[in-house]
Amino acid sequence: MKALIFRGDGVMQLEEVATPVPSTDELLVRVKSVGICGSDVEGYLGKTGRRLPPMIMGHELAGEVVKTFPDSRFAVGDHVAIQPKLFCGECSFCKTGEINICPNGGYLGVMSTNGGLAEYLAIPDRYLFKISPDMPWEHACMAEPLSVAYHGVQKVDLAKLKQSGPVLVIGAGPIGLLVLQVLKYHGIEDVIVSDLVDGRLEKAKALGASNVINPSRDQLPANIAYSFEAVGLGGSARQSLSALKCGGTAVWIGNAQKMIEVNMQQIVTQELSIVGSYVFNEVDFKNSLEMIDQGKIDLDAILTVEHGLEKGEEIFRSLGKGGNVDIIKMVLMI
């Protein structure tokens, strides 16, 4: 089969490799679509240490079952979205549904675990979710990033959120724009979005933001009860705190910069809360697929779709150079 192999910093190559042979509890899936995450690009550039060459990236994916096993829940021809968070199923976290923080798990397409930027993937059937054959492939692979956004919103009490006044979302990239849409889905009407790129702020406005702010020239709001940080850098994390009123809560979803500095006295004396939100659980993934299937999320507004693995090398080179702010989310159809 053909696969995009990450060979080292800035080096992605289309190669012919052996098609995986599924074990007794695995299915063979013909990959149809893969979203390219910002973390993939950062890994490709060698900035994070979370992609260890040689390996196959791709953790946002969907495909068609081509080989199954007796007593599997799936049949050949089923369309599936693949839940990429691997988990042991035995630890105390897994037993309470918190697979996202399973200490024994992993992640498809991360570190040295091969992912979906290939024609085929062998994977246990517990990570597959059957989807409607009518769901577009480019939408199905978006269940993963949508689940990240959905999980972040679930970290706060929705009843309190609805009564809290304006809500701030920092970052108008894929996750931030999905957080905006999940908030709107839950009936939160007053959502302010902050970003440094005006084109992305225009997209946020079109998707329902009540107001948009460019912090390079505009003053951030104050006295906000809840903020959602979807960038993962020190500056944006501090902004998520500075906008809060006393007793406010910042949900940190972004995960780019490992170490940051914050004003501890501000947090203590104003009794601020910081809530970490890491990926998602199976309920989040299931609910996100239902939202996609019901057309509750405008995915086409943020997607740029390319076709063919052979375009992968150039796509990564282009995304690695940056500068094209019109591309919010790239999906590669295989």
Side-chain angles (χ1 to χ4, degrees), residues 102-118:
C102 170
N104 308 310
Y107 220 90
L108 294 179
V110 177
M111 302 304 284
S112 59
T113 302
N114 286 334
L117 281 168

Side-chain angles (χ1 to χ4, degrees), residues 3-73:
L4 280 173
I5 309 295
F6 171 51
R7 287 289 176 186
D9 295 355
V11 181
M12 187 76 75
Q13 297 178 347
L14 182 63
E15 300 181 19
E16 192 74 29
V17 300
T19 300
V21 178
S23 63
T24 55
D25 67 339
E26 291 183 326
L27 304 177
L28 187 65
V29 175
R30 173 69 169 91
V31 180
K32 293 291 188 177
S33 61
V34 182
I36 298 177
C37 180
S39 66
D40 292 327
V41 179
E42 295 292 299
Y44 163 78
L45 295 173
K47 292 184 176 181
T48 64
R50 296 202 292 264
R51 304 295 188 277
L52 305 178
M55 57 90 67
I56 300 171
M57 296 188 195
H59 57 271
E60 306 170 358
L61 61 158
E64 181 179 347
V65 175
V66 295
K67 187 176 182 180
T68 185
F69 58 85
D71 300 324
S72 170
R73 299 177 295 125

